[in-house]
Amino acid sequence: MNKFLFCLAILCFSQLSYSQSNRTMKTINPAMITSFAPTGTLRVGINLGNPILANEDPISHQPQGVTVDIAQEIGKRIGLPVKLIPFKTAGNTVDAVKTGEVDLVFVAIDPVRGADISYTPAYIQIEGAYMVKASSPIQSNEQVDVANNEIVVGKGSAYDLYLTREIKHAALLRAASSQAVVDDFMSGKGNIAAGVKQQLESDAKRYDGLRMLPGRFMVINQAIGIPNARPQYEQTTAYLADVITQLKQSGFVAQAMKRHQIEGARVAD
């Protein structure tokens, strides 16, 4: 009897494995791959403007980080070589996917960008925060959106897009990139700096007399984006959504964050 149950279990497992393999084969088809990466190489836009997502290796000068790891995994799964194309800002990265220069990007989900980009579910959530000078009378986020306040933010970043919609009374001063926000702020521009919490905390170490405001003003969902102008983009997005779900559930994303010593973010639900 035990032998019978054992054999039955083996048979069920084999059928399940075959079913899962067959489903994967149906999902990855030549037409989808051709639409997804028409050059035969998966061209991936890497945003170096957000240190949580990626940065430049100081020795090899090549992009490294969580998004690079995910991009390489996707290339492995679809059987295509991966070409990493770095950009200094999120805005430049988004422009590149809209013009067809790249096939896939890692950017924040935003309704303004959503008109041209199809998103997967989020893989990482990042906090946006404010920083002021130690002498500033501002003590909380609620005191930011006030007339005569000036907020320095990276041009075209998710924070810029969000604050453009939400800020009603304060003025926005746009730095060339997220990395330039604190330098512009310390050069005398504005009285509040806004951006990735981790980026601001890191930049604050280069200067004296700065402090973060408690809490956050927004949570940003980072996802994979592809151009929705391409044929079969819905099928491609569904496939990538499934990949992201698997990478989150398996611990791949969490392990990548740990490997690259990422703090100030968490794996998205």
Side-chain angles (χ1 to χ4, degrees):
M1 184 64 179
N2 290 340
K3 183 176 181 181
F4 171 77
L5 292 176
F6 175 78
C7 293
L8 181 61
I10 292 296
L11 177 60
C12 290
F13 178 79
S14 299
Q15 290 176 334
L16 177 61
S17 298
Y18 173 80
S19 176
Q20 291 175 333
S21 174
N22 190 48
R23 179 174 64 86
T24 301
M25 289 175 65
K26 289 181 179 179
T27 302
I28 306 176
N29 62 69
M32 187 192 78
I33 297 300
T34 300
S35 171
F36 183 25
T39 66
T41 295
L42 182 58
R43 302 167 300 169
V44 181
I46 300 295
N47 174 23
L48 298 179
N50 188 333
I52 289 179
L53 305 182
N55 54 64
E56 184 180 279
D57 183 277
I59 298 176
S60 67
H61 301 292
Q62 296 299 310
Q64 63 176 6
V66 176
T67 55
V68 173
D69 293 353
I70 295 175
Q72 297 291 3
E73 178 64 20
I74 292 172
K76 185 188 303 182
R77 291 185 180 217
I78 64 176
L80 288 181
V82 174
K83 181 179 180 181
L84 303 174
I85 304 176
F87 296 91
K88 292 184 178 180
T89 69
N92 290 340
T93 311
V94 170
D95 290 341
V97 77
K98 289 181 178 180
T99 59
E101 182 180 346
V102 297
D103 308 309
L104 175 155
V105 291
F106 296 89
V107 293
I109 297 174
D110 185 273
V112 174
R113 295 170 177 165
D116 302 294
I117 297 175
S118 180
Y119 297 105
T120 67
Y123 61 94
I124 282 180
Q125 289 185 326
I126 301 173
E127 295 182 342
Y130 292 124
M131 184 172 67
V132 297
K133 293 179 180 178
S135 59
S136 172
I138 300 173
Q139 299 296 325
S140 68
N141 291 343
E142 290 70 27
Q143 296 175 307
V144 169
D145 191 13
V146 176
N148 298 322
N149 278 345
E150 295 180 327
I151 306 168
V152 185
V153 64
K155 183 179 180 180
S157 67
Y159 315 98
D160 180 13
L161 298 175
Y162 175 84
L163 294 175
T164 297
R165 294 192 299 270
E166 298 298 324
I167 292 297
K168 307 302 181 185
H169 305 289
L172 296 179
L173 304 180
R174 293 173 176 85
S177 66
S178 294
Q179 301 100 311
V181 166
V182 174
D183 289 335
D184 280 8
F185 180 58
M186 293 305 295
S187 72
K189 295 182 179 179
N191 62 326
I192 302 162
V196 180
K197 187 173 184 179
Q198 185 195 43
Q199 173 91 54
L200 293 177
E201 290 174 336
S202 175
D203 287 343
K205 296 176 182 178
R206 299 188 285 113
Y207 296 99
D208 294 326
L210 294 173
R211 59 180 170 83
M212 301 293 297
L213 293 186
R216 66 196 186 196
F217 66 82
M218 70 178 298
V219 173
I220 296 177
N221 290 305
Q222 295 287 340
I224 291 176
I226 65 169
N228 60 17
R230 292 187 183 174
Q232 300 197 31
Y233 80 90
E234 292 177 333
Q235 182 181 358
T236 304
T237 303
Y239 169 72
L240 293 174
D242 186 52
V243 171
I244 284 297
T245 299
Q246 292 175 23
L247 295 185
K248 290 191 294 185
Q249 293 177 346
S250 69
F252 181 100
V253 176
Q255 291 167 9
M257 292 174 66
K258 183 177 181 180
R259 181 166 55 254
H260 295 289
Q261 301 179 341
I262 298 303
E263 298 177 356
R266 71 181 186 89
V267 178
D269 296 329

